[in-house]
Structures are given as C-alpha cells and as structure tokens.
C-alpha cells in the first residue's frame, strides 16, 4: 500500500526492480522484489535480511541508500534510493568505452563507496558494471551490497549437504 509501482526498471537472477512512488513521503524510490524461489527460501531470506540490514547502515554519497525492507502479498522486497540514470553495463553497451578522465572519476567514486562499506565491515560480494549506477549528471552510486553474498551463502550451504553413501545430489 505504501509503494505504488510505476515502471519496470530491470530484471535479474534474484529480483525484479521497479521505479515506484512512496505515497507517504511523496518521492520516487526503487523497489526490488525478490523472485518467488528466493522469497520462499528461509535460508536465503535470513542471510538476505542480515545483509540488507548491514547495507542499510551505509550512508555515503556513492552508495545507493536502503530505506525499507519487508514482505507482503507480492513477496519480499527492498526499497532503495531511486537513481535517475542507468547502470554502467548498459551505458558501455550503448555508448562504447568511457573516456579515460571520466573512467578515472567513476573509478574513484566506486572506490569511495567500497571504502565506506569496508569501514563498516561490509564487502560488496559482486561488484560488476550492472551494480554501478551512473546518474544523469555523471555521479556514480554502487548498489546491491550483500545480495550476491546472500545467494552464495545459500548455494554454498546447498552444495555442502552430505549425501548418504551411494547416493548423489542429482
């Protein structure tokens, strides 16, 4: 009820992201809705909740802020700062290589985001061009702290399940 989905922004392996309106605070936000297979996995949700809480402690100009987390009839979601721009992977695909000076500035901003996270004991776990958001003014923000770690923790746990002698996990 608080968030009204406005448009689809993207789909990934773990979640679908929408631009939404926060009707209580009258602002645009991004809502990341977990895919059902992750939303219904208690191990993933536990790790994801922990990682989201940790990431929500970050307050840095180069980190996408996390505002809310919850579960409703649609599933489990995270509400984040809306970044008016595009991810670096899309921009590289669309425009080709970034000029060296601009690339150096963007790299410095990503490094500041990672340093802020590391100062709080948080590792990103999946820094890719898809997780680097470039605003229309060129400012860079890093997103998705901990999501890959939550997924990896669950996959690692699943792959380490002991099988009875003579049986396989297939």
């Amino acid at each position: 009820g608080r968030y009204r989905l406005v448009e689809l922004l993207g789909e990934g392996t773990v979640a679908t992201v929408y631009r939404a309106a926060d009707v209580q605070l009258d602002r645009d936000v991004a809502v990341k809705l977990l895919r059902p297979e992750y939303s219904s996995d208690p191990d993933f949700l536990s790790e994801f909740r922990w990682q989201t809480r940790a990431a929500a402690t970050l307050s840095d100009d180069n980190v996408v802020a996390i505002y809310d987390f919850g579960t409703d009839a649609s599933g489990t979601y995270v509400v984040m700062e809306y970044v008016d721009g595009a991810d670096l992977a899309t921009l590289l695909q669309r425009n080709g290589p970034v000029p060296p000076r601009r690339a150096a500035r963007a790299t410095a901003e990503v490094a500041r985001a990672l340093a802020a996270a590391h100062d709080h004991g948080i590792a990103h776990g999946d820094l890719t061009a898809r997780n680097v958001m470039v605003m229309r003014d060129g400012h860079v923000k890093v997103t998705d702290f901990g999501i890959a770690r939550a997924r990896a923790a669950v996959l690692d746990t699943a792959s380490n399940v002991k099988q009875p002698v003579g049986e396989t996990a297939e």
Side-chain angles (χ1 to χ4, degrees):
R2 177 176 177 173
Y3 306 104
R4 186 175 43 83
L5 302 182
V6 175
E7 73 175 305
L8 176 67
L9 295 176
E11 295 184 69
T13 57
V14 176
T16 302
V17 183
Y18 298 90
R19 182 170 64 88
D22 180 337
V23 296
Q24 287 184 5
L25 296 177
D26 192 30
R27 67 176 171 187
D28 282 341
V29 294
V31 174
K32 182 175 294 249
L33 183 62
L34 294 182
R35 293 193 176 286
E37 62 268 27
Y38 290 101
S39 219
S40 62
D41 182 329
D43 293 331
F44 177 84
L45 283 180
S46 176
E47 183 69 21
F48 183 70
R49 186 175 294 112
W50 187 89
Q51 294 289 343
T52 300
R53 283 183 181 145
T57 66
L58 298 175
S59 178
D60 185 84
D61 284 341
N62 297 112
V63 174
V64 172
I66 294 177
Y67 299 141
D68 195 8
F69 175 88
T71 301
D72 65 12
S74 299
T76 301
Y77 61 89
V78 177
V79 180
M80 304 170 288
E81 171 185 5
Y82 171 69
V83 176
D84 188 15
D87 66 76
L88 182 58
T90 299
L91 293 175
L92 289 170
Q93 186 176 29
R94 186 183 309 150
N95 304 324
V98 178
R101 183 168 263 154
R102 177 63 197 123
R105 280 195 309 261
T107 301
E109 289 185 66
V110 169
R112 281 193 290 274
L114 295 176
H118 291 187
D119 287 347
H120 284 83
I122 300 168
H124 190 282
D126 186 34
L127 185 62
T128 67
R130 291 251 175 252
N131 295 329
V132 176
M133 301 299 297
V134 181
M135 299 172 68
R136 291 187 190 276
D137 67 0
H139 184 63
V140 170
K141 289 185 173 264
V142 177
T143 190
D144 286 349
F145 280 87
I147 289 177
R149 290 178 60 100
R151 185 169 179 244
V154 171
L155 292 175
D156 186 50
T157 300
S159 69
N160 285 328
V161 173
K162 299 280 189 222
Q163 297 296 318
V165 175
E167 293 184 27
T168 65
E170 294 178 56

